[in-house]
Amino acid sequence: MSEQLPRARHLEPTMQRITGRSCIQIEGRVFVVTGAGNGIGRCVALELIARGAVVVGADRDERALAATAALVTDRERFTAHPIDICDRVAVAAFPGSVIASHGQVDGLFNIAGIAQELRAVADLSDARIETLMRVNFFGAVWMSRAFLPHLLQRPRGIIMNTSSLSAIVPVPGSAVYGASKAALALFSYGLAQDLRGRSNVTVTTVLPGSVWTDLVRKVAQQMGAPEKLARGFSAEPEQVARRIVDATAKGRGRVVIGKDAHVYDTVRRVSTRLADRLSYIQVGHGVYPKGTRPR
């Protein structure tokens, strides 16, 4: 390769020999969190603030960001930045705004995402498919590329990308959502390879299973699943946020969160066919009309 990545000014000695790196300090650092207006994004923002960080909350929903801000006691630790991550021009200008306001940026948590209605691919419009890919994949890619040059100048930098259980096993009615999250996972793994041993920035890919958020609640309602049962299968977002922050601070490359995600991750290593079949049995009845499902 002809081009070399910029080197950080204060690299730790051989990055703690690559695998033995120390945890990044959270207190006093500045982190950007996309999707901070609700769900996992809000919980990650609050978890970082509780650990002494300053959080730049990014979301296209200004009211949701205001609701997150209202939960923060020390308002100096949270600033709201309404932004559409699908807008490449706005994303390109975003790091400059963050640095102008806070003087630095130490990490990026890409959490913003949207769900697919539980429908077969043939029933989705081209516009909906494009939107899913732009929000769930391209938005995180553009954010990562925009902030990476600035993170490379810090003593330590982190990027966390939120993939999904749907990147481990195909979920009925979620083909495009799964494709967007699988693409993000492979991008994230590849970005980690680009940076490994050559920079101060670590990349963490998180693959959560069902997490009890408004998004999952709506999916459960669409499937006709009892809310109590659906919640029992889901992880609480506050617990997921703690796992995300812990794993990212430690520089872990791949993190599976949630009982269902761990089950499918394990089964798929043994038999992809079995994992696919289990997913179909679990979800297919709520997606495909009777008489159209194969036996």
Side-chain angles (χ1 to χ4, degrees), residues 119-130:
R119 294 179 184 172
V121 173
D123 297 328
L124 291 174
S125 68
D126 290 344
R128 185 57 177 169
I129 290 173
E130 183 175 348

Side-chain angles (χ1 to χ4, degrees), residues 25 33 62 77 86 92 94 102 141 153 164 168-169 172 179 230 232 241 255 259 261 275-276 279 281 286 293:
Q25 180 179 326
V33 179
E62 293 188 47
R77 293 194 177 278
C86 294
F94 191 26
H102 300 284
V141 171
Q153 300 305 314
S164 168
I168 299 174
V169 62
V255 185
K259 293 180 180 178
D276 293 355
S279 177
I281 292 172
R293 301 192 297 270

